[in-house]
């Protein structure tokens, strides 16, 4: 299965239009330090709740540090019934060089 990816500029357009949910899969400390505005911190402790409470039709953008771990998380969400999921190429490190983010 080819994992869908989205470039940061396209992800930013979706964020600006409130068209999707952003999911941050980095460690808790990194999320606390800085994250994309409105992103949900997804981890082992809340993943089942997220799967159960999120509309599977909702577009989701997954990001990690550099766009590697998010590929696996994207595949996981697709396997669990989400219809529109993409991994953000370059991850948060690419995003933070171009766009604003929320400090912790």
């Amino acid at each position: 299965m080819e994992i869908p990816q989205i470039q940061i500029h396209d992800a930013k357009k979706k964020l600006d239009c409130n068209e999707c949910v952003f999911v941050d899969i980095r460690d808790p400390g990194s999320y606390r330090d800085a994250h994309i505005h409105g992103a949900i911190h997804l981890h082992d402790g809340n993943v089942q709740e997220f799967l159960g409470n999120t509309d599977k039709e909702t577009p989701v953008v997954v990001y990690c540090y550099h766009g590697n771990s998010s590929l696996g998380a994207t595949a996981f969400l697709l396997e669990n019934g989400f219809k529109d999921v993409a991994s953000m190429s370059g991850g948060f490190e690419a995003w933070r060089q171009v766009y604003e983010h929320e400090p912790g």
Side-chain angles (χ1 to χ4, degrees):
M1 172 173 73
E2 188 164 330
I3 309 298
Q5 296 190 58
I6 187 169
Q7 301 302 316
I8 60 171
H9 303 296
D10 294 327
K12 177 72 163 77
K13 285 179 197 154
K14 284 182 173 264
L15 180 71
D16 290 344
C17 297
N18 291 322
E19 284 180 8
C20 64
V21 173
F22 275 71
V23 171
D24 186 323
I25 61 162
R26 299 173 303 146
D27 70 88
S30 296
Y31 178 81
R32 271 195 307 273
D33 288 345
H35 56 269
I36 294 173
H37 180 74
I40 297 167
H41 186 231
L42 197 61
H43 49 81
D44 290 344
N46 70 355
V47 69
Q48 291 304 321
E49 180 184 349
F50 181 81
L51 292 175
N53 294 342
T54 308
D55 183 350
K56 302 291 193 286
E57 301 293 329
T58 302
V60 179
V61 172
V62 182
Y63 70 93
C64 57
Y65 298 96
H66 300 287
N68 298 319
S69 302
S70 54
L71 293 170
T74 298
F76 173 80
L77 291 175
L78 288 168
E79 287 162 8
N80 279 275
F82 282 82
K83 308 280 187 262
D84 183 359
V85 188
S87 170
M88 191 171 77
S89 299
F92 187 71
E93 292 307 313
W95 177 281
R96 75 187 311 163
Q97 292 170 21
V98 183
Y99 298 119
E100 289 187 19
H101 48 274
E102 275 187 23

